């Protein structure tokens, strides 16, 4: 995408997302080879079904697509997907309105044995977009905290080796080229499907009319292409 600063909204299609993930999975399989995918979703519902309690796809759809390609590129290991629910921009019951967009709210986590699930694994956190980076930073910090809590239950002599064998990486479909409000630790393994300008990304799972959404996506591409030719 070039000159997208002229496009206030950019409509992303399922095919766009699928292909961006496909293009990146070979590198991820070789460089990181994850054992577990942790998808960031958003939930405001108090009800849980099979540990997945999300009402917006966010990182869950990309994680499911990624699992297909990673299993083809690796030894077809089980490669589980787990979901966590975090909210930054959406209203959450019991949270003051002024906290929206200021504070990351945890709405779902991995359960009481989260650290045991993560320890010794190569864990890839998956989200749809790196916007302010607040959500990604929160997720990484809290998952690492779970690992440290679990390490306290292990013999002290084993802790350093177990900590070293636990790796975290991040994949986002889109990374917005903008100043971030949070940072990731230096050396964090990080992948993005595509670098984009700071536009409002409209994802297909947010649409109630997918045909209209795809029409608008094609129009966005057409307008961006025309703008590029005009600037040449």
């Amino acid at each position: 995408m070039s000159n997208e600063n002229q496009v206030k909204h950019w409509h992303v299609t399922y095919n766009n997302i699928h292909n961006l993930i496909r293009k990146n999975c070979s590198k991820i399989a070789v460089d990181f080879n994850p054992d577990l995918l942790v998808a960031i979703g958003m939930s405001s519902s108090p009800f849980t079904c099979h540990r997945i309690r999300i009402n917006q796809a966010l990182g869950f759809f990309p994680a499911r697509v990624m699992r297909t390609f990673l299993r083809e590129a690796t030894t077809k290991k089980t490669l589980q997907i787990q979901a966590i629910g975090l909210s930054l921009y959406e209203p959450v019951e019991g949270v003051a309105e002024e906290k929206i967009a200021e504070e990351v709210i945890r709405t779902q986590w991995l359960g009481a044995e989260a650290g045991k699930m993560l320890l010794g694994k190569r864990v890839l956190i998956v989200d749809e977009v790196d916007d302010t980076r607040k959500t990604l930073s929160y997720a990484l910090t809290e998952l690492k905290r779970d690992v440290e809590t679990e390490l306290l239950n292990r013999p002290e002599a084993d802790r350093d080796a177990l900590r070293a064998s636990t790796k975290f990486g991040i994949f986002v479909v889109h990374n917005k080229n903008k100043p971030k409000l949070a940072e990731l630790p230096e050396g964090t393994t990080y992948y993005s499907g595509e670098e984009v300008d700071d536009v409002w990304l409209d994802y297909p799972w947010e649409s109630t009319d997918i045909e209209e959404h795809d029409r608008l996506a094609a129009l966005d591409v057409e307008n961006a292409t025309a703008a590029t030719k005009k600037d040449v």
Side-chain angles (χ1 to χ4, degrees):
M1 295 161 55
S2 58
N3 292 333
E4 279 101 45
N5 58 327
Q6 298 180 25
V7 182
K8 292 184 179 180
H9 282 250
W10 185 266
H11 294 77
V12 184
T13 69
Y14 283 114
N15 281 358
N16 295 151
I17 296 165
H18 191 98
N19 288 325
L20 287 173
I21 293 170
R22 175 179 56 80
K23 291 175 182 177
N24 282 269
C25 273
S26 295
K27 179 175 176 58
I28 293 171
V30 171
D31 292 352
F32 193 71
N33 193 20
D35 302 305
L36 178 67
L37 304 179
V38 175
I40 298 177
M42 200 296 290
S43 170
S44 57
S45 167
F47 300 103
T48 301
C49 177
H50 301 296
R51 299 181 68 113
I52 300 171
R53 187 184 56 176
I54 52 179
N55 56 22
Q56 291 192 27
L58 304 183
F60 197 74
F61 176 80
R64 181 60 189 87
V65 175
M66 176 169 282
R67 180 179 183 271
T68 296
F69 287 118
L70 287 177
R71 292 187 75 229
E72 287 294 322
T74 60
T75 55
K76 294 188 182 292
K77 53 190 174 184
T78 302
L79 194 55
Q80 290 186 353
I81 301 173
Q82 295 291 333
I84 58 176
L86 300 176
S87 178
L88 180 59
Y89 297 110
E90 295 283 339
V92 176
E93 185 177 352
V95 177
E97 187 174 340
E98 59 267 20
K99 296 292 185 181
I100 297 173
E102 294 294 328
E103 182 178 331
V104 177
I105 306 299
R106 182 191 295 200
T107 59
Q108 176 187 351
W109 207 247
L110 299 178
E113 297 190 340
K116 186 179 294 185
M117 181 190 303
L118 301 167
L119 193 62
K121 300 280 180 51
R122 304 178 70 85
V123 181
L124 189 65
I125 301 167
V126 182
D127 205 358
E128 94 278 38
V129 62
D130 183 355
D131 188 351
T132 65
R133 197 162 284 176
K134 278 186 172 184
T135 300
L136 289 169
S137 176
Y138 179 93
L140 181 60
T141 299
E142 293 300 302
L143 291 170
K144 284 185 172 182
R145 195 190 309 276
D146 288 336
V147 170
E148 292 300 319
T149 299
E150 176 60 25
L151 284 170
L152 296 177
N153 298 324
R154 304 304 176 100
E156 188 172 356
D158 297 339
R159 290 175 189 171
D160 286 345
L162 287 168
R163 183 181 290 110
S165 67
T166 307
K167 306 290 186 183
F168 288 94
I170 290 171
F171 173 81
V172 293
V173 179
H174 297 106
N175 176 41
K176 289 189 180 182
N177 292 320
K178 60 182 289 186
K180 306 299 185 182
L181 300 181
E183 296 299 327
L184 300 173
E186 186 175 351
T188 299
T189 300
Y190 181 94
Y191 306 95
S192 67
E194 187 176 33
E195 303 290 310
V196 299
D197 292 335
D198 187 15
V199 296
W200 187 282
L201 294 167
D202 292 293
Y203 287 99
W205 46 77
E206 297 167 346
S207 175
T208 57
D209 185 339
I210 196 62
E211 287 79 14
E212 176 64 7
H213 177 91
D214 287 351
R215 186 190 71 81
L216 292 172
L219 185 61
D220 287 344
V221 173
E222 181 181 326
N223 289 339
T225 302
T228 301
K229 291 179 178 179
K230 184 177 179 181
D231 290 341
V232 174

